[in-house]
Amino acid sequence: MLIKKILSMLFLIYCSAVGYSQTDIDAIMMSKNNFCTGFMYTHNSWDQYWEGTFKRNNQNLGTVSSQMIGVMGNYGLRDNLNLLFALPYISTKASMGTLAGQKGLQDLSLTVKWMPIEKKWGKGDFSLYTLGTLSAPTTNYVADYLPLSIGMRSKTAMVRLMLDYQVKHFFVTGSAAYIFRDRVTIDRPSYYTTELHNTNKVDMPDMTNYNLRTGYRSSTWIAEAVLDIAHTQGGFDITKNNMPFLSNQMNMTRAGANVKYTFSSIEGLSLIGNVMFTLSGRNVGQTTSVGAGVFYIFDFNKKKNKS
Amino acid sequence: MKKITIYIGSLLLLLAFMPGCNRSIEDRTKELPMLEPVKTDADAGDWKPVVLATPTEVILTAPLASNNAAYLRELNEIKGLQQNLTDAQRKTIQYWGAGAVLRWNEIMRELVAKRNLPPYQNADGSYPTPSAANPFSYPVFPFSNPPYAARAYAYVSVAQYDALVAAYYYKRLYTRQAPYKTDTGIKALLPENTLPAYPSEDAVVASAAVELLKLLFPADAAYVQQKANEHMEARIMAGMNTRSDIEAGVTLGRLVAAKVIARAANDNMSKAVGTPAQWAQLETDAAAGGEVPWKSLDAPSRPPMLPFYGRVRPFLFDSLTTIAIRPPAPPSTSSEKFKAELEEVKYYSKNATRDRIAIVHNWADGVGTSTPPGHWNLIAAEDFVPLRFSEVRWARNLALLNMAVMDAGITCWDTKYFYYNPRPTQMDREIKTTTGIPNFPAYISGHSTFSAAAATVLGYIVPAKANAYDAMAVEASNSRLYGGIHYRSDCEVGLAQGKKVGNFAIARGQTDGCN
């Protein structure tokens, strides 16, 4: 089961990490005519952030937190071709200061995940995946209100190449992605980055993402350690004591762990939990994320067979 | 299988490039038509300057005759430049050709936005104050907050206007033709006009701006000078001015700027920050009157922003008038009316609709922006472009606007610190805001005062849009109530006060000889 969340990567970047354990980034495919769906809850918070390279707190924000409830799903078009979606509802708040938190439905993402190669190699199994994701905001939420906006409002397209190697129950998965980000329209007619812009359109720098995960994988348990690196290709630093802006350079390196348990007593039901810490960053909060989810697989093959 | 591979592969490629295909930024003013004034305003040397008594208060010597050998050598410089113009140089000519006053107004807005950052606190929770004597060390001077910016826009606009009045006076006196008229081997790369070329109006505008901006934004002096050099070179390359036209403009601009800077040095701005003892006195006085005194809602608590800016000498009236036109007191913090107004703010705080947040953010003009005065300069500049004013009319109109906006700031700050009224959130911590709470008292709203003053002046300059400007001012004013940072009284009285100041500017405009 694999659910995903691309925007997590972008959004979690500042407002907090929406770390799903069930992501498109794992090397697992949904079988043909199976539909896995469920909910994920994630809590993200930070009280330290990087203003450029300067790490600081801010008594006018205190702890910035966000809560995400996402509905997501993955349908097996074929055994090696899956279609995934995710749609999160997010609410944000700051524990100190006067700024009002925001809440609302964020961005819908759709992913095509394809495994063109799966073969024996040495003692284990090698597989290769390509993923393509589109995301777009589903509501007219406020973007230009960092760090309390619920998202960036940028339409994105991502391509990812992923390799997996598994020997018995131990595996390594590595992937690299490039994320194209469309310009964003904000509510003001002019803004300053490193120069004055007389427009309400903001060009968003693209992003790259590298993800490495390794651990134990069986039909009942998955336990993995994760390293995730996201980099903005361009953008500028928050100047001293300024507010963050959408087109800042936002980088972060995060590490954490995922656990997934699939029940054998109730076929198709699984629970997941995860935690992610931010090791280093630039123009982002040092987010800690804790998430949990429940998922269920509907097998349409069975129904067909029965009927 | 192969078909699917190709299909998916091309789908992924398509996905990948969809948002990436349209990447050039849309900036409304990067590429504008060349300025071709409807009227040359050749007699603007008779218009009434602001700081100068008359244009002859600054002396500009006569240019060399057009048959003088040194002048002919200057013409050769232009021919040489025009033989080898690069695309980048042509772009520069076009950029500055949209209008000298316009471009310098944009540069000013850029500097204000760049420097509009409140200082970060010291380790002990106190705050450092930017120092003009030491502009590069943190905190960089200045912190161009709204009152600072209002005054900066006004002084630069006034210096440019006065310098242009003097320039047009000497143009008419000396009647030296533009190089492209003197020598047929020189092309005019910008629209031709009948205005004499000596001194160069562009050089006057650039030079006056450079001198004032070196004073107001010392940390950016090098950037400003580089822009001015680029601007003046562009005029020579375009065949519009010789080097001596430019140099005469620089000289004249400097002479006028010196007079304007002398005024700025004695306008009380240097005392606007005040001292800790004075800050404490403001609080004591307000409490003695039985009112809840304003407190900073920044953490750590920050000293009030420019509490004695109300004593800065205005352009359109004197400081006694500042006191005479001060609005009556706001509703007492213990009155029923106050409670009702606080409830209204709370309603908007709790019911922040998407439409209202858009209004709040459109007009917020907070940290890191060109401030509300800058926003009104943007509105003015973009509306002036299609009206094709001469440079001197551009400068006169922006000077009227910015004098009104600065004086609106002065009377507004005078009122704020006279009553020292608390912000809504200070009285009810449950009131959350959708924009930052400015670090100064509530009554009267700065946005409302600035905006009504600006809208009143702009309605006088562009009568066809007068109603639209008024509506914008009301929206800017409401945005502060919607954002949860102002009571209705702050907004309504602020609008009325701004209009009052705007009318002073109109009275000046009616008698400055421009119409």
Side-chain angles (χ1 to χ4, degrees):
Chain A
M1 86 164 96
L2 351 140
I3 312 274
K4 98 73 346 151
K5 193 38 246 248
I6 244 304
L7 247 249
S8 49
M9 215 142 34
L10 308 174
F11 171 62
L12 41 76
I13 294 256
Y14 208 92
C15 295
S16 34
V18 183
Y20 297 9
S21 104
Q22 292 304 101
T23 72
D24 57 341
I25 309 182
D26 58 19
I28 304 169
M29 297 297 291
M30 191 58 33
S31 306
K32 184 173 178 180
N33 290 334
N34 279 12
F35 178 60
C36 170
T37 188
F39 295 94
M40 186 79 206
Y41 169 84
T42 306
H43 180 273
N44 310 282
S45 67
W46 52 264
D47 58 6
Q48 300 265 317
Y49 65 104
W50 288 275
E51 192 176 79
T53 54
F54 173 59
K55 193 176 179 186
R56 61 170 290 185
N57 66 359
N58 191 328
Q59 296 172 45
N60 298 297
L61 293 169
T63 299
V64 174
S65 60
S66 73
Q67 300 186 77
M68 190 279 307
I69 295 175
V71 57
M72 45 208 71
N74 179 9
Y75 181 69
L77 296 166
R78 294 165 176 270
D79 286 348
N80 70 343
L81 185 65
N82 288 181
L83 181 66
L84 299 85
F85 78 91
L87 179 62
Y89 179 90
I90 293 172
S91 74
T92 66
K93 70 170 186 193
S95 69
M96 293 165 78
T98 71
L99 287 177
Q102 297 289 301
K103 53 180 188 273
L105 271 182
Q106 199 215 35
D107 304 343
L108 174 68
S109 64
L110 295 173
T111 298
V112 176
K113 182 174 182 180
W114 178 46
M115 179 178 64
I117 298 171
E118 184 184 30
K119 55 170 67 172
K120 287 262 172 222
W121 191 29
K123 290 183 185 167
D125 296 303
F126 170 80
S127 50
L128 180 145
Y129 304 77
T130 59
L131 297 93
T133 299
L134 284 182
S135 81
T138 54
T139 58
N140 186 25
Y141 63 81
V142 183
D144 181 21
Y145 187 62
L146 292 173
L148 291 172
S149 54
I150 63 163
M152 304 276 202
R153 281 198 66 77
S154 179
K155 291 178 195 155
T156 74
M158 185 190 76
V159 282
R160 181 182 292 278
L161 187 70
M162 183 164 71
L163 306 172
D164 181 78
Y165 189 66
Q166 180 165 358
V167 178
K168 291 184 181 160
H169 288 305
F170 296 95
F171 72 95
V172 178
T173 308
S175 70
Y178 193 89
I179 302 139
F180 298 87
R181 299 197 295 174
D182 200 10
R183 67 174 46 147
V184 176
T185 303
I186 58 175
D187 291 333
R188 48 187 168 137
S190 173
Y191 60 93
Y192 181 83
T193 54
T194 54
E195 60 181 331
L196 186 70
H197 301 273
N198 286 314
T199 173
N200 61 353
K201 304 282 193 291
V202 180
D203 271 355
M204 299 289 282
D206 291 339
M207 298 195 73
T208 50
N209 173 264
Y210 304 95
N211 187 279
L212 187 68
R213 40 220 306 139
T214 184
Y216 176 89
R217 184 154 71 201
S218 74
S219 57
T220 47
W221 283 99
I222 294 176
E224 59 184 352
V226 181
L227 179 70
D228 190 86
I229 301 170
H231 272 265
T232 305
Q233 305 299 301
F236 67 104
D237 281 339
I238 306 172
T239 40
K240 189 142 174 159
N241 224 25
N242 203 342
M243 302 293 283
F245 190 64
L246 295 168
S247 60
N248 281 140
Q249 179 171 46
M250 296 181 185
N251 300 338
M252 68 196 310
T253 299
R254 298 182 306 138
N258 289 324
V259 175
K260 174 182 154 196
Y261 176 71
T262 305
F263 289 85
S264 43
S265 49
I266 311 163
E267 199 179 345
L269 183 69
S270 64
L271 297 176
I272 62 172
N274 63 38
V275 59
M276 289 292 274
F277 302 98
T278 304
L279 306 178
S280 66
R282 186 166 184 141
N283 303 306
V284 297
Q286 187 172 23
T287 302
T288 297
S289 308
V290 180
V294 55
F295 289 87
Y296 187 77
I297 299 176
F298 297 92
D299 185 345
F300 294 104
N301 292 318
K302 276 192 204 158
K303 282 183 188 165
K304 263 185 207 159
N305 294 345
K306 277 177 192 167
S307 66
Chain B
M1 184 65 202
K2 199 156 204 184
K3 256 188 194 164
I4 292 175
T5 311
I6 294 165
Y7 171 74
I8 302 285
S10 41
L11 186 72
L12 288 181
L13 263 173
L14 188 71
L15 298 189
F17 288 101
M18 261 173 51
C21 58
N22 185 17
R23 297 229 125 195
S24 65
I25 193 82
E26 305 163 6
D27 191 300
R28 293 186 304 274
T29 63
K30 271 218 168 106
E31 287 172 14
L32 287 174
M34 302 303 91
L35 176 58
E36 209 169 345
V38 177
K39 283 201 294 188
T40 52
D41 290 322
D43 289 326
D46 298 332
W47 295 2
K48 191 170 116 193
V50 176
V51 172
L52 297 184
T54 68
T56 49
E57 200 180 319
V58 283
I59 305 294
L60 184 70
T61 53
L64 297 172
S66 58
N67 57 359
N68 182 291
Y71 182 71
L72 295 174
R73 288 195 289 272
E74 286 192 12
L75 297 179
N76 284 336
E77 182 194 3
I78 302 174
K79 286 180 200 168
L81 285 168
Q82 290 197 337
Q83 278 181 354
N84 301 302
L85 282 182
T86 63
D87 285 348
Q89 286 171 321
R90 284 181 194 280
K91 268 205 161 153
T92 308
I93 292 169
Q94 302 262 312
Y95 167 82
W96 290 102
V101 173
L102 163 71
R103 291 309 187 194
W104 281 101
N105 186 264
E106 290 182 340
I107 291 168
M108 229 190 324
R109 278 183 261 141
E110 179 170 66
L111 294 179
V112 168
K114 181 181 182 183
R115 299 298 177 199
N116 182 12
L117 296 172
Y120 182 63
Q121 68 265 23
N122 296 318
D124 65 357
S126 66
Y127 288 93
T129 307
S131 160
N134 196 5
F136 292 100
S137 67
Y138 192 82
V140 174
F141 182 89
F143 164 24
S144 51
N145 50 48
Y148 187 93
R151 176 174 172 272
Y153 291 120
Y155 271 101
V156 174
S157 296
V158 163
Q160 289 179 330
Y161 169 63
D162 276 19
L164 278 169
V165 169
Y168 277 59
Y169 174 85
Y170 286 110
K171 280 173 181 289
R172 190 178 55 188
L173 183 67
Y174 295 132
T175 63
R176 182 200 262 183
Q177 294 299 300
Y180 65 85
K181 286 195 174 138
T182 315
D183 189 326
T184 50
I186 293 173
K187 290 178 290 270
L189 301 182
L190 290 170
E192 299 185 11
N193 61 60
T194 56
L195 206 61
Y198 180 98
S200 157
E201 66 267 31
D202 285 68
V204 151
V205 168
S207 153
V210 165
E211 295 308 310
L212 267 295
L213 292 174
K214 279 198 291 196
L215 171 78
L216 295 162
F217 295 89
D220 298 292
Y223 172 74
V224 165
Q225 186 63 58
Q226 178 210 328
K227 283 278 176 195
N229 293 347
E230 178 192 299
H231 179 187
M232 296 186 290
E233 286 297 316
R235 291 294 293 184
I236 297 176
M237 291 187 292
M240 307 307 285
N241 291 110
T242 63
R243 194 159 290 279
S244 58
D245 297 337
I246 295 289
E247 282 164 355
V250 171
T251 303
L252 192 64
R254 277 199 188 134
L255 289 171
V256 175
K259 304 259 178 192
V260 176
I261 286 170
R263 185 201 192 274
N266 290 300
D267 72 355
N268 283 330
M269 184 65 178
S270 59
K271 298 175 201 156
V273 171
T275 62
Q278 285 179 301
W279 305 335
Q281 191 63 43
L282 289 168
E283 194 170 333
T284 312
D285 290 349
E291 297 297 318
V292 176
W294 173 83
K295 278 196 189 323
S296 170
L297 296 172
D298 278 11
S301 176
R302 193 184 282 277
M305 182 186 290
L306 299 181
F308 303 102
Y309 185 77
R311 297 181 191 170
V312 169
R313 188 178 149 211
F315 271 109
L316 300 167
F317 44 84
D318 58 27
S319 289
L320 285 175
T321 306
T322 306
I323 295 166
I325 63 173
R326 182 187 297 148
S332 165
T333 49
S334 53
S335 68
E336 285 305 314
K337 178 144 184 2
F338 181 87
K339 276 185 202 122
E341 290 204 9
L342 189 64
E343 276 308 307
E344 186 184 15
V345 179
K346 197 165 180 176
Y347 168 82
Y348 284 113
S349 167
K350 298 260 182 222
N351 298 280
T353 63
R354 182 65 187 87
D355 287 348
R356 284 200 284 262
I357 291 175
I359 291 171
V360 171
H361 288 180
N362 177 48
W363 293 105
D365 297 312
V367 167
T369 72
S370 63
T371 74
H375 194 153
W376 282 99
N377 273 267
L378 174 148
I379 291 166
E382 293 185 11
D383 282 357
F384 289 175
V385 167
L387 298 176
R388 295 160 55 199
F389 295 138
S390 65
E391 290 290 0
V392 69
R393 193 172 289 269
W394 257 97
R396 177 263 192 180
N397 289 338
L398 285 182
L400 278 185
L401 170 70
N402 285 318
M403 286 191 290
V405 167
M406 170 174 159
D407 290 0
I410 290 170
T411 174
C412 176
W413 251 243
D414 167 75
T415 308
K416 280 179 182 293
Y417 286 94
F418 186 79
Y419 297 112
Y420 218 61
N421 205 37
R423 293 276 173 175
T425 303
Q426 183 186 332
M427 302 303 283
D428 184 343
R429 295 299 299 201
E430 279 182 29
I431 295 177
K432 294 286 181 185
T433 64
T434 44
T435 187
I437 302 182
N439 192 49
F440 38 82
Y443 181 85
I444 49 180
S445 148
H447 278 59
S448 307
T449 316
F450 286 132
S451 296
T456 303
V457 176
L458 290 181
Y460 163 69
I461 297 167
V462 192
K465 297 193 79 170
N467 290 335
Y469 292 133
D470 285 343
M472 289 159 96
V474 168
E475 192 183 79
S477 175
N478 285 337
S479 79
R480 309 309 271 175
L481 176 59
Y482 299 160
I485 65 175
H486 271 295
Y487 314 97
R488 186 171 288 280
S489 288
D490 303 344
C491 299
E492 289 178 351
V493 180
L495 282 175
Q497 189 71 357
K499 193 165 185 60
K500 222 182 280 178
V501 176
N503 285 331
F504 278 96
I506 292 176
R508 193 202 134 82
Q510 284 165 340
T511 57
D512 65 5
C514 173
N515 290 321

